[in-house]
């Protein structure tokens, strides 16, 4: 028997989340963001559940090629553009839309021979200072691209740094207004948080990622609890041992948890080598046998300990939900000082994945 851990992917929740997102942005085109192997969910197996999308956005040329070869005929957007001029050959062959964020990319496109014009997202740096042309330079970059015979459709693109936080998007929107004052073409600005919170940023295309997978862009599940979005991934395992411990006994590496009285603890087949966060402290929520309880002590490489005080019926083989519908990935992430984004992407290759309805 393999270890009992499994990441279960609910494809109906994925499709349903896309429908929920359409409700937030009616009449707007949706790029479903599936970078990083669909946020750790397994792009190859999940994309067809999102076939109602208008396009897929990702970074990796290999993932783009895989989508085409699997039969996706709609648009594919390379969010970071291309990394070397020779990438343009694949972009042309597989009819990919590419972001352009630097002058060298404009030169490379101008020198490349395409079989058909290439659609381009011209990236504006509106304040995140990662990728993109400065507002003063953006109109010239867009004009330079527009003058090339290689260029197909052009779209103004920018990325928000804190749409999920109180600062919102106003400052960056002002930069977009400045750069795009004379721009009549389409715009694509909104990530998940802006898709939910700022309809004025929707324009022609939105780019939701994390909400497709049913987690919160802010890291707080309460922020999306009433949207109808559903968790797509459930990480589950089983109890593989039970210990009865006494007052003063300690649990796990470093003895970080010490019992104050007699209690029963369970040992779960899941550790940081599976992608569970090593920094999750005692008290991180977890569900055993359908009952919410808490982790105890340090997370080991392959195991972790749980408090069985609220679960008197639990026995070896009882089911454990590390995250999913009963305990949200956002809650675990928050307890460990990270975000659902990181936990999803970090599920280890050794964890078997099952697809279907939960
Ligand atoms: C990852 C990413 C997104 C999606 O972000 P979410 O917060 O997951 O919605 C959108 N646009 C760009 C450029 C990205 O890199």
């Amino acid at each position: 028997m393999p270890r009992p851990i499994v990441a279960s992917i609910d494809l109906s929740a994925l499709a349903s989340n896309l429908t929920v997102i359409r409700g937030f942005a009616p009449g707007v085109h949706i790029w479903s963001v599936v970078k990083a192997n669909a946020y750790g969910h397994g792009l190859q197996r999940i994309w067809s559940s999102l076939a109602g999308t208008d396009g897929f956005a990702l970074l990796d040329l290999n993932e783009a090629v895989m989508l085409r070869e699997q039969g996706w005929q709609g648009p594919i957007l390379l969010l970071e553009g291309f990394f070397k001029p020779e990438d343009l050959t694949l972009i042309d062959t597989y009819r990919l839309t590419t972001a352009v964020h630097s002058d060298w990319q404009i030169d490379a496109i101008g020198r490349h021979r395409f079989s058909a014009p290439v659609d381009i997202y011209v990236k504006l740096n509106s304040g995140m200072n990662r990728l993109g042309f400065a507002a003063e330079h953006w109109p010239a970059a867009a004009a330079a691209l527009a003058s090339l015979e290689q260029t197909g459709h052009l779209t103004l693109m920018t990325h928000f740094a804190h749409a999920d936080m109180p600062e919102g998007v106003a400052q960056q929107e002002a930069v977009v207004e400045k750069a795009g004052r004379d721009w009549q073409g389409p715009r694509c600005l909104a990530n998940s948080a802006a898709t939910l919170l700022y309809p004025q940023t929707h324009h022609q295309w939105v780019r939701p990622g994390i909400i497709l997978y049913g987690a919160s862009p802010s890291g707080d599940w309460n922020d999306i609890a009433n949207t109808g979005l559903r968790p797509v991934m459930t990480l589950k395992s089983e109890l593989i041992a039970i210990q009865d411990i006494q007052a003063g006994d300690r649990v796990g590496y470093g003895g970080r948890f010490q019992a104050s009285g007699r209690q029963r603890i369970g040992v779960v087949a899941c550790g940081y080598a599976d992608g569970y966060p090593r920094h999750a402290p005692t008290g991180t929520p977890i569900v055993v046998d359908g009952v919410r309880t808490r982790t105890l002590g340090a997370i080991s490489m392959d195991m972790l300990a749980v408090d069985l005080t609220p679960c008197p019926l639990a026995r070896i083989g009882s089911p454990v939900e590390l995250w999913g519908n009963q305990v949200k990935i956002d809650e675990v992430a928050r307890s460990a000082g990270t975000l659902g984004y990181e936990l999803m992407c970090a599920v280890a290759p050794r964890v078997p994945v099952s697809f279907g309805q939960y």
Side-chain angles (χ1 to χ4, degrees):
M1 278 284 283
R3 292 169 72 232
I5 191 165
V6 61
S8 164
I9 305 298
D10 181 346
L11 296 172
S12 68
L14 193 63
S16 150
N17 289 345
L18 181 60
T19 304
V20 168
I21 294 166
R22 282 225 184 273
F24 276 89
V28 175
H29 291 86
I30 297 175
W31 290 111
S32 289
V33 179
V34 292
K35 63 192 180 190
N37 197 26
Y39 288 48
H41 290 66
L43 178 58
Q44 190 161 348
R45 287 297 303 274
I46 65 100
W47 74 267
S48 57
S49 302
L50 293 172
T53 192
D54 300 292
F56 287 104
L58 41 69
L59 324 167
D60 190 312
L61 263 176
N62 294 323
E63 290 186 337
V65 168
M66 186 273 285
L67 272 182
R68 276 284 180 259
E69 297 196 327
Q70 297 257 315
W72 171 252
Q73 311 230 341
I76 299 176
L77 170 63
L78 296 173
L79 289 163
E80 289 183 4
F82 52 98
F83 301 94
K84 292 286 183 301
E86 50 270 33
D87 296 339
L88 290 170
T89 304
L90 284 179
I91 287 175
D92 185 34
T93 305
Y94 289 93
R95 294 170 290 111
L96 309 179
T97 301
T98 183
V100 164
H101 57 77
S102 293
D103 285 322
W104 74 264
Q105 294 174 318
I106 302 178
D107 297 339
I109 289 170
R111 280 196 304 271
H112 195 83
R113 293 171 75 103
F114 289 85
S115 61
V118 59
D119 291 340
I120 295 171
Y121 270 48
V122 192
K123 185 102 188 247
L124 166 68
N125 174 11
S126 59
M128 193 165 192
N129 289 311
R130 243 170 30 172
L131 298 180
F133 300 101
E136 309 76 57
H137 187 51
W138 191 90
L145 285 163
S147 73
L148 298 175
E149 62 178 21
Q150 288 91 336
T151 298
H153 298 104
L154 289 177
T155 300
L156 186 163
M157 171 193 191
T158 200
H159 192 45
F160 292 126
H162 36 65
D164 56 306
M165 292 161 71
E167 296 103 295
V169 295
Q171 252 184 342
Q172 287 185 267
E173 277 187 295
V175 178
V176 172
E177 283 321 306
K178 184 170 156 212
R181 211 169 21 222
D182 302 318
W183 178 250
Q184 308 298 328
R187 300 177 183 212
C188 176
L189 316 180
N191 57 6
S192 289
T195 301
L196 295 182
L197 299 173
Y198 300 106
Q200 80 275 17
T201 66
H202 290 173
H203 298 284
Q204 289 75 19
W205 285 86
V206 292
R207 302 189 308 272
I210 192 78
I211 53 177
L212 279 171
Y213 309 99
S216 170
S218 69
D220 185 347
W221 169 259
N222 293 316
D223 290 343
I224 61 165
N226 300 319
T227 55
L229 293 165
R230 288 155 53 194
V232 172
M233 180 193 293
T234 300
L235 184 63
K236 51 192 180 181
S237 187
E238 292 178 4
L239 291 185
I240 58 168
I242 289 177
Q243 306 287 347
D244 288 297
I245 61 173
Q246 314 293 327
D249 286 352
R250 309 209 298 177
V251 175
Y253 286 115
R256 283 201 223 150
F257 174 78
Q258 188 164 30
S260 55
R262 278 196 60 172
Q263 73 177 107
R264 228 160 60 102
I265 68 166
V267 178
V268 181
C270 176
Y272 62 78
D274 299 302
Y276 195 86
R278 198 181 68 82
H279 292 105
T282 290
T284 299
I286 188 166
V287 169
V288 178
D289 223 7
V291 180
R292 236 175 125 90
T293 178
R294 57 179 186 142
T295 64
L296 297 178
I299 307 300
S300 302
M301 183 183 288
D302 311 304
M303 287 178 270
L304 57 82
V306 293
D307 186 357
L308 294 183
T309 310
C311 342
L313 300 179
R315 51 180 173 75
I316 290 176
S318 286
V320 176
E321 180 179 298
L322 287 310
W323 61 66
N325 281 302
Q326 301 168 86
V327 57
K328 303 298 187 284
I329 196 168
D330 293 313
E331 298 178 84
V332 178
R334 172 152 289 197
S335 176
T338 181
L339 291 170
Y341 292 83
E342 187 182 17
L343 298 190
M344 288 176 183
C345 295
V347 173
R350 80 174 189 182
V351 175
V353 184
S354 78
F355 295 88
Q357 259 153 271
Y358 178 62

